[in-house]
Amino acid sequence: MSEKTEMPTDLALLGALALLWGASYTFIKIGVETIPPVTFIAARTLIAGAILLSVIRWRGLAMPADAATWRRFAFQACLNSVVPFTLIAAAERSVDAGLATILNATSPIFTFLLTALITRHEPVTVRKLVGVGAGIVGICLIIGTEALGGLGRQMWAQLAIVVATISYAGAAIFGRGFKGLDPMIPAAGSMLCGAVMLVPLSLIVDRPWTLAPSVASILALLGLSVFSTALAFVIYFRLIHTLGSVGTTSQAYLRVPIGVGIGAVFLGESLGPAAWVGMGFVVAGVAAMTIPSRRAEAIPGKA
């Protein structure tokens, strides 16, 4: 299949990924109301990993048997699930889902910065530098309002989301190294490794057998695990291979209005004036960095 034939499919998958991940913040907000963050994310990775492993076996594929590949899966799990999932889940106990969506949407900015500093496979252009500047201004506008009122709980939660976003950026770059594998295999491997790390921690810290989660939290966990994790990560690893790391993270600017809208409809959330302005800067910055120029459109796999 040629690159021109694949491009419409990849763009449709990019939109689907934005929807799935945009909804995830509302799922998390509902889930952590009655399920502690570590246990919630442990269950998320375990359910998603089990689903992916079942589908892989149904397709007649086999997981790698060598220790080196599983070490890479474990490292990817730390970057793409264990650290960011847990930080975001903990943060959403005090931060609205819409605000978490906006802050986490800056992943292309950090992906670009990391590629420019470390891998250097992404060309540095004036437009992208402007995009970085706009995104950073947006973050400062959102978090800065909290800083003016002192180092409150919500500010630390917002900073945790920014740290999670940097972790996602590292995962997008490292995920390029799984090109020789079917997209489902690194998705399943990283989820299972994440579960191996988090389930014992959950048993020690939260004693989940003593919890009494609500029906809404359980349904949110299932929706998050099946759709926003298992299905989303299959799409994610497919796009990492076809669109590249920065191209794949471009769904972030689509994810912002989707995530904010879902939070408004289902949770009754609303943004303050500074958050609206900050969102505008973030969306503009991410779009400037990820929408391909006319010359680059002929090379959709470049990242």
Side-chain angles (χ1 to χ4, degrees):
M1 188 179 289
S2 69
E3 287 182 342
K4 287 186 177 179
T5 306
E6 287 183 354
M7 195 60 179
T9 300
D10 288 340
L11 292 178
L13 289 174
L14 202 66
L17 187 60
L19 175 61
L20 292 170
W21 276 349
S24 69
Y25 302 94
T26 293
F27 283 140
I28 292 169
K29 186 71 176 177
I30 296 171
V32 296
E33 287 178 355
T34 59
I35 304 174
V38 173
T39 296
F40 186 74
I41 299 306
R44 174 185 183 180
T45 53
L46 182 62
I47 294 169
I51 292 171
L52 290 169
L53 185 60
S54 298
V55 174
I56 285 170
R57 289 181 174 174
W58 175 73
R59 291 177 59 197
L61 302 175
M63 295 296 290
D66 60 294
T69 300
W70 279 97
R71 282 194 295 269
R72 291 168 61 208
F73 287 164
F75 187 66
Q76 180 75 8
C78 291
L79 290 175
N80 218 23
S81 57
V82 175
V83 172
F85 284 3
T86 306
L87 284 175
I88 291 171
E92 283 204 52
R93 287 197 145 183
S94 56
V95 172
D96 285 348
L99 200 57
T101 306
I102 297 170
L103 290 172
N104 199 219
T106 56
S107 55
I109 292 167
F110 292 108
T111 300
F112 173 74
L113 289 174
L114 289 177
T115 57
L117 293 171
I118 301 172
T119 63
R120 298 182 180 179
H121 69 271
E122 180 70 18
V124 177
T125 65
V126 172
R127 187 180 69 165
K128 288 176 180 177
L129 290 174
V130 170
V132 169
I136 291 174
V137 168
I139 293 172
C140 291
L141 282 170
I142 294 167
I143 299 180
T145 56
E146 293 294 319
L148 291 174
L151 298 179
R153 180 184 176 190
Q154 194 174 62
M155 180 183 173
W156 288 116
Q158 291 172 1
L159 289 173
I161 295 172
V162 173
V163 172
T165 303
I166 296 171
S167 183
Y168 279 137
I173 296 169
F174 187 74
R176 291 168 57 88
F178 295 112
K179 280 191 175 181
L181 299 174
D182 182 277
M184 272 199 174
I185 291 176
S190 63
M191 286 297 108
L192 291 171
C193 287
V196 168
M197 297 176 200
L198 287 170
V199 168
L201 184 61
S202 166
L203 296 175
I204 295 168
V205 174
D206 294 329
R207 297 192 301 163
W209 59 89
T210 65
L211 302 174
S214 67
V215 173
S217 289
I218 293 172
L219 291 176
L221 171 61
L222 293 175
L224 180 70
S225 303
V226 175
F227 299 108
S228 296
T229 308
L231 177 58
F233 270 90
V234 172
I235 296 173
Y236 170 81
F237 278 104
R238 150 72 188 260
L239 293 177
I240 283 288
H241 297 162
T242 57
L243 296 182
S245 56
V246 174
T248 300
T249 55
S250 68
Q251 46 75 31
Y253 71 87
L254 300 173
R255 192 169 74 220
V256 171
I258 291 172
V260 171
I262 291 173
V265 171
F266 293 98
L267 301 176
E269 295 178 351
S270 60
L271 299 176
W276 278 112
V277 176
M279 182 178 81
F281 274 97
V282 167
V283 172
V286 172
M289 294 182 57
T290 55
I291 294 177
S293 63
R294 290 184 178 180
R295 283 190 307 168
E297 282 173 353
I299 317 173
K302 286 276 184 178

